[in-house]
């Protein structure tokens, strides 16, 4: 069992390294295949030893091996995060198609979340990949396809209403992402996802304002909170619903 979890973590860390490339290149319209990865300071092409997930950053102390320029610790963070999220899935999914789809879903969530943090956009290209894979996942994992449709209509419809009422306070990308998340999650988990996103968004937003990191007119991307809520809802929504229900019954 521990070996299996370690395998999932290593797989996630390797995929996380690729996700770093996607996060950096996709918003800039660059290919994620060519050119090969290189140092952003000196332009030297990186070797395999420079790109070992997590370990390269630790052993090189966050610096380029050739020009000694430092680079962001977020590269290692994304690799660790992806590995941990993949490993947690091992508690709920057996190896097979559903697990592969969930891994793809997690990868898309991470890319969308960090791109939204950096650029305040959610890429339609990623959403177009998430939609058909979500339909396939719903066919195998949800009680029926109607549950997927209800989840999409609820999440997308509620966010569309907020988008219209807020007059630009909520982005159109958040509406589209919520619709796609509803396809994956179904109705009940979609409710959990949105509740978590709003609660987390509210708490973090207040903390950012209180600490002065953000001002009242500064935009705070909501996509990352939707992605966090989606992951938690995907794995833990039955337990959260049970806990919430027992608080009042």
């Amino acid at each position: 069992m521990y070996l299996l979890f370690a395998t999932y973590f290593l797989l996630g860390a390797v995929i996380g390294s690729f996700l770093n490339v996607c996060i950096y290149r996709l918003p800039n319209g660059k290919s994620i295949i060519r050119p090969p990865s290189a140092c952003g300071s000196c332009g030297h092409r990186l070797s395999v030893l420079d790109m070992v997930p997590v370990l390269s950053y630790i052993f090189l102390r966050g610096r380029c091996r050739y020009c000694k320029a430092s680079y962001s610790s977020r590269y290692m963070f994304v690799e660790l995060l992806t590995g941990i999220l993949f490993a947690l899935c091992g508690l709920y999914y057996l190896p097979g198609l559903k697990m592969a789809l969930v891994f793809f879903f997690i990868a898309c969530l991470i890319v969308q979340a960090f791109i939204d943090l950096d650029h305040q956009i959610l890429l339609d290209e990623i959403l177009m990949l998430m939609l058909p894979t979500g339909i396939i996942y719903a066919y195998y994992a949800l009680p029926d396809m109607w549950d997927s449709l209800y989840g999409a209509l609820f999440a997308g419809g509620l966010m569309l209403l907020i988008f219209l009422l807020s007059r630009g306070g909520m982005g159109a990308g958040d509406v589209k992402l919520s619709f796609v998340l509803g396809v994956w999650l179904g109705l009940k988990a979609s409710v959990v996802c949105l509740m978590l996103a709003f609660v987390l968004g509210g708490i973090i937003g207040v903390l950012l304002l209180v600490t002065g990191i953000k001002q009242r007119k500064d935009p705070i991307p909501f996509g990352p909170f939707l992605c966090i809520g989606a992951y938690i809802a995907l794995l833990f929504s039955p337990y959260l619903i049970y806990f919430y229900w027992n608080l009042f019954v």
Side-chain angles (χ1 to χ4, degrees), residues 114-168:
F114 281 96
I115 289 177
D116 200 19
L117 282 173
D118 291 339
H119 303 279
Q120 285 76 58
I121 58 172
L122 293 164
L123 297 182
D124 289 341
E125 296 87 344
I126 303 296
L127 293 175
M128 292 304 295
L129 293 174
M130 295 174 70
L131 181 58
T133 50
I135 294 173
I136 297 172
Y137 175 81
Y139 177 80
Y140 287 102
L142 297 184
D144 54 61
M145 294 303 294
W146 287 107
D147 189 32
S148 177
L149 177 61
Y150 295 150
L153 292 177
F154 168 77
L158 179 60
M159 294 298 288
L160 177 61
L161 179 61
I162 295 173
F163 170 75
L164 295 174
L165 294 177
S166 66
R167 299 179 180 180

Side-chain angles (χ1 to χ4, degrees), residues 28-90:
N28 298 310
K30 297 180 179 180
S31 169
I32 58 176
I33 300 175
R34 294 184 179 277
S37 296
C39 173
S41 298
C42 66
H44 195 288
R45 181 174 174 178
L46 301 180
S47 68
V48 174
L49 293 177
D50 300 316
M51 297 185 292
V52 178
V54 181
L55 296 179
S56 288
Y57 185 90
I58 294 174
F59 289 133
L60 296 174
R61 299 180 181 179
R63 296 182 179 276
C64 172
R65 187 154 59 98
Y66 309 99
C67 68
K68 306 305 178 183
S70 61
Y71 57 93
S72 175
S73 60
R74 198 175 79 175
Y75 293 108
M76 182 181 69
F77 176 75
V78 170
E79 294 165 354
L80 280 172
L81 176 65
T82 310
I84 292 170
L85 297 185
F86 274 32
L88 285 175
C89 288

